[in-house]
Amino acid sequence: MNNWISHPEDIEARVAEWQTAYAELLKVDSLRQFTGRPVFALTVTNRHIPAERKKKLLVFTPHAHEPACNAACMNVVSELLTGKTMGGEPTDLERERILGETLLTFLPDANPEGTARAPVEAWDGSQYTNDEFWTWMRGVDPVTGKMWKRLNVWDDREEDPLPARHGIVYEQLDSHRYVEPNRHPESSLMRLIERCRGRHDYDMLLDLHQTEFVNSPHNCMVLLPCVFDELPESLRTHERAWADAVVAAWRQVEGASPIEHSEPLGYTGEQRQYFVDVWSGIYATTPLITIEIQNNSPRTPPELQLYLEQIAIETSIQLL
Ligand SMILES: [Zn+2]
């Protein structure tokens, strides 16, 4: 896995190195999780050219059990800053033009504590069944031994029984409370996105994820916002064209099997409401699409997971 960097300690070391070597191209924002690890927002642009004229993209990785997203962000940032992939190959990106015309912000890992607690750096499907993987994701139910609950926020003084092992998807907020980062405003993810949006008026937001594609012949898809059907036509047109462009780019990749027609995120009830509560202000103003690449399956090895995430990022940059 030549180009793969996803562990928080590797990301921290690389960011520190880049901060010194590429100060004119990189601005690092960060906040610290309750458990102590820094969460980074890496803004890449030619800082000699005023930001007002540039098109702007914000890319983020909410979930700690989806490390190909971290790796793809780091690889794209490496190519833009150094001209080389993480593995040292020359980039094929139009670096100078991208740095001059765009401002790109990456949150490569919004929950590094979760990522650090994962038993593997990449989920390749060789060591854990999906049932086991899901117990790493949400925690182990001590009664059934299966996956624990999905909650936007929980408090260890109120839940009974508590998970036998805490799920890595949750971010610890204080001594007792835990949140799923993209479902709660106090997560590092949402706080850092808000800070970034306060600094720059982003034209597009790209939400990177992975999922298991159980009983599906596909291994990549774009999801539109859950409120897509209620959005103004200009946003719907933009998001539809963006989704179609990503799918078209995936179609060229050996081993990729995209879902051709992108649909809105299909959650209902409580899970949908979490999204509406946290994201509706963003959905109403800014084009946003969600990427899902297969996780924990030999059908989509880590190199391909990374590559498909990276294609989604690069296609988005081209569309700015
Ligand atoms: Zn996810």
Side-chain angles (χ1 to χ4, degrees):
M1 296 201 297
N2 258 349
N3 291 329
W4 187 289
I5 283 197
S6 63
H7 194 280
E9 269 138 46
D10 297 330
I11 291 179
E12 270 182 62
R14 199 56 68 118
V15 168
E17 197 184 303
W18 286 339
Q19 232 176 333
T20 313
Y22 300 98
E24 295 183 346
L25 302 177
L26 175 68
K27 178 165 189 322
V28 180
D29 266 319
S30 67
L31 48 80
R32 209 159 274 280
Q33 292 189 288
F34 173 74
T35 48
R37 292 185 189 271
V39 181
F40 294 115
L42 310 176
T43 297
V44 180
T45 192
N46 180 341
R47 291 167 73 187
H48 296 300
I49 299 173
E52 302 83 69
R53 283 187 243 151
K54 292 171 177 161
K55 291 290 186 179
K56 303 179 184 77
L57 171 70
L58 176 61
V59 184
F60 49 93
T61 299
H63 286 150
H65 59 285
E66 300 168 7
C69 312
N70 314 13
C73 287
M74 292 301 285
N75 202 42
V76 173
V77 173
S78 172
E79 291 189 39
L80 290 170
L81 294 180
T82 72
K84 289 182 181 162
T85 65
M86 282 291 182
E89 296 294 319
T91 181
D92 51 15
L93 294 176
E94 289 179 85
R95 233 181 115 240
E96 296 293 330
R97 186 189 65 74
I98 293 169
L99 292 167
E101 295 177 5
T102 70
L103 179 148
L104 311 170
T105 301
F106 298 85
L107 277 64
D109 185 353
N111 182 10
E113 183 67 25
T115 306
R117 287 199 292 115
V120 291
E121 262 200 82
W123 298 93
D124 63 7
S126 70
Q127 294 181 67
Y128 298 90
T129 64
N130 278 335
D131 278 322
E132 290 164 343
F133 168 60
W134 293 329
T135 67
W136 280 99
M137 171 176 67
R138 294 209 187 110
V140 180
D141 184 312
V143 180
T144 64
K146 301 248 183 197
M147 170 173 73
W148 200 62
K149 292 183 278 194
R150 177 170 225 176
L151 296 167
N152 60 336
V153 56
W154 55 278
D155 188 315
D156 65 11
R157 293 164 296 191
E158 289 162 13
E159 293 298 329
D160 185 26
L162 284 167
R165 178 182 66 227
H166 288 184
I168 64 175
V169 73
Y170 293 113
E171 179 184 27
Q172 186 170 1
L173 283 192
D174 53 37
S175 305
H176 297 288
R177 289 185 311 144
Y178 297 78
V179 294
E180 183 170 344
N182 58 343
R183 285 165 171 73
H184 198 277
E186 288 176 62
S187 66
S188 296
L189 172 76
M190 297 314 298
R191 287 164 52 216
L192 205 46
I193 287 178
E194 191 173 305
R195 193 197 288 177
C196 291
R197 290 181 83 231
R199 296 219 166 109
H200 301 292
D201 191 9
Y202 290 95
D203 297 283
M204 291 160 39
L205 266 64
L206 183 64
D207 184 15
L208 301 181
H209 291 262
Q210 298 188 257
T211 191
E212 289 69 66
F213 288 87
V214 174
N215 300 324
S216 164
H218 299 288
N219 64 357
C220 47
M221 66 177 164
V222 177
L223 293 170
L224 302 165
C226 61
V227 297
F228 181 74
D229 293 335
E230 297 142 44
L231 293 177
E233 194 181 346
S234 59
L235 276 176
R236 278 188 283 133
T237 306
H238 187 147
E239 286 167 350
R240 174 66 68 194
W242 183 8
D244 287 348
V246 172
V247 169
W250 283 334
R251 227 182 276 133
Q252 310 305 315
V253 178
E254 198 184 327
S257 173
I259 291 180
E260 290 291 327
H261 186 74
S262 306
E263 301 279 356
L265 176 66
Y267 287 135
T268 55
E270 193 181 56
Q271 293 297 331
R272 183 180 197 274
Q273 196 55 45
Y274 294 157
F275 272 87
V276 172
D277 291 347
V278 174
W279 292 94
S280 54
I282 291 174
Y283 288 152
T285 56
T286 312
L288 181 154
I289 63 168
T290 296
I291 302 303
E292 294 280 7
I293 305 297
Q294 190 174 38
N295 207 0
N296 202 46
S297 166
R299 208 147 55 78
T300 313
E303 292 83 356
L304 182 58
Q305 297 172 22
L306 186 162
Y307 190 51
L308 294 174
E309 296 283 359
Q310 179 154 351
I311 283 177
I313 298 171
E314 292 178 4
T315 304
S316 305
I317 295 171
Q318 282 163 18
L319 289 182
L320 272 174

